[in-house]
Amino acid sequence: MSLVMHLAGLIPCIYFSYVHLFGGVFWYGLVVLPCTFAILVSLFLLFTQPDSQSYKIADVWFLLLAIPPVLLALTRHDMHGEFFVPPLILACFIHLPLKVAERLVLAVSIVAVVLGVNHLGIHQGIRFGIGIVATHIFAWGLARVLVKQHNELKDLAFKDSLTRCYNRRALFDELLKAKQQDKRSGIKAAIVLLDLDHFKQVNDQLGHNVGDQVLVWFAHFLQQNTRVNDRVFRYGGEEFLILFHDADFDMAYKTSEKLVSTIAKIKAPEQLSVSFSAGISVIKDGESIDDWIQRADMALYQAKQAGRNQTWPSQFTSAEATD
């Protein structure tokens, strides 16, 4: 939540906690107090750890803890809880995952309408219910628009505009996750760095438009012939990188060689025959991401030196491969 939204929740929480603990309905003050502490923690984390998981969890706890006092306020004439239900609905849709918010807010809305009719009477209660339904629909529609825009911005930020593969910005995020998973759980990951053979000739002889068609076709080929949980990235130019999750060297090598043999049997746009060279490296303990990629890049270089259209593992040297 932003600072403004924190203040919008903090001010009434502090006010109702103080008023009811020191002269009002004591039990209600106790109900509001946890909500006050939760938003204070969230506000502290906003300034100290704005990108942490703890900050997100504190936000969720504040919204969950805000539900009981808001609904309980509908049971008393002097608390005017009807004024706080719409902001709560809006805040839940904005700050909770959409599917969670849909179910939670539906339950809150139903309870609020029932309590509102009982508290305000049939005529005022119906008006209150209509307002809640309108707020619910508006907030739900707004949340869907925000989710769509978020996904579109994420798509623009983390995907290559030509091939629709993930880009280098997304690559380092994924490699960091794989590195952390290896450190935490010992689950290995492997990368295969691929480079289309003699791609410059395609651009020089047939033009960049055909070259772009080949790149799009090759990206689709890689995505169609890898597992769902693997990731294909455009590393740069005609270079692509595949991240194999939960994979050892043998699995990555066999997959890469299968790709080499499969692509030899099919035609690219303009009936072109396409091949690629590849280098493999499996993550090592204590290794940096740059070193991990560098080993794959060195293996790719060796594959090209050895004649292209093949896969080389990073742990081999030229002499070992010859033997």
Side-chain angles (χ1 to χ4, degrees):
M1 291 191 293
S2 67
L3 178 60
V4 172
M5 296 193 73
H6 274 86
L7 294 177
L10 181 62
I11 292 173
C13 283
I14 292 178
Y15 172 78
F16 286 116
S17 296
Y18 177 81
V19 167
H20 289 286
L21 285 173
F22 299 97
V25 182
F26 185 76
W27 63 264
Y28 188 76
L30 290 178
V31 173
V32 179
L33 196 59
C35 185
T36 306
F37 282 131
I39 198 169
L40 285 172
V41 170
S42 180
L43 189 60
F44 172 76
L45 293 173
L46 173 66
F47 289 102
T48 57
Q49 305 174 37
D51 298 321
S52 69
Q53 189 66 25
S54 300
Y55 170 59
K56 297 176 183 178
I57 292 174
D59 269 355
V60 172
W61 271 110
F62 164 66
L63 291 173
L64 294 177
L65 292 170
I67 293 174
V70 169
L71 294 179
L72 287 171
L74 286 169
T75 63
R76 294 180 62 94
H77 291 279
D78 55 344
M79 292 183 181
H80 303 290
E82 62 271 16
F83 295 118
F84 297 98
V85 177
L88 177 63
I89 290 175
L90 184 61
C92 286
F93 269 117
I94 292 176
H95 295 290
L96 295 178
L98 183 57
K99 290 185 178 180
V100 175
E102 286 174 341
R103 292 165 173 78
L104 180 64
V105 174
L106 178 60
V108 170
S109 298
I110 292 173
V111 175
V113 170
V114 172
L115 292 176
V117 170
N118 182 65
H119 162 64
L120 299 171
I122 187 66
H123 297 294
Q124 291 294 333
I126 290 175
R127 294 179 182 178
F128 170 70
I130 293 173
I132 293 300
V133 171
T135 302
H136 190 146
I137 294 173
F138 169 77
W140 175 74
L142 176 62
R144 288 181 62 87
V145 170
L146 291 176
V147 168
K148 182 180 178 181
Q149 290 179 342
H150 173 76
N151 291 335
E152 289 174 350
L153 289 173
K154 188 176 180 180
D155 195 54
L156 290 172
F158 291 102
K159 286 195 175 180
D160 176 60
S161 59
L162 175 65
T163 64
R164 308 312 299 159
C165 290
Y166 292 102
N167 57 23
R168 292 183 70 159
R169 185 175 185 179
L171 170 64
F172 284 91
D173 287 344
E174 289 291 323
L175 292 184
L176 179 59
K177 291 177 183 177
K179 189 172 182 294
Q180 291 171 341
Q181 189 176 39
D182 172 54
K183 183 178 180 180
R184 182 174 58 251
S185 308
I187 299 176
K188 292 296 181 182
I191 59 174
V192 177
L193 189 59
L194 311 96
D195 185 86
L196 284 168
D197 296 329
H198 307 295
F199 182 73
K200 187 175 183 300
Q201 295 179 9
V202 176
N203 282 331
D204 292 343
Q205 296 174 10
L206 301 175
H208 288 277
N209 184 48
V210 174
D212 287 347
Q213 292 179 38
V214 172
L215 290 175
V216 173
W217 173 85
F218 184 61
H220 182 71
F221 166 78
L222 295 178
Q223 291 168 331
Q224 290 295 110
N225 290 275
T226 50
R227 300 176 303 176
V228 175
N229 62 327
D230 297 327
R231 293 289 181 268
V232 178
F233 304 85
R234 188 181 181 190
Y235 192 66
E238 67 271 22
E239 284 189 323
F240 291 80
L241 187 147
I242 305 175
L243 170 61
F244 293 99
H245 289 285
D246 192 13
D248 57 11
F249 167 78
D250 288 340
M251 182 270 174
Y253 182 80
K254 289 177 181 178
T255 303
S256 182
E257 283 297 276
K258 183 179 178 181
L259 291 172
V260 169
S261 62
T262 301
I263 203 171
K265 302 172 185 176
I266 56 179
K267 294 294 184 180
E270 303 294 327
Q271 293 300 303
L272 292 172
S273 296
V274 173
S275 66
F276 66 86
S277 306
I280 296 177
S281 63
V282 180
I283 190 170
K284 290 182 177 180
D285 295 338
E287 181 179 46
S288 69
I289 291 175
D290 289 337
D291 289 341
W292 186 12
I293 297 175
Q294 180 64 24
R295 287 194 296 111
D297 191 43
M298 292 174 62
L300 171 60
Y301 175 78
Q302 291 175 328
K304 291 179 180 179
Q305 292 295 104
R308 295 184 168 85
N309 192 28
Q310 58 189 289
T311 304
W312 269 59
S314 62
Q315 59 263 47
F316 284 4
T317 64
S318 300
E320 290 171 333
T322 303
D323 293 340

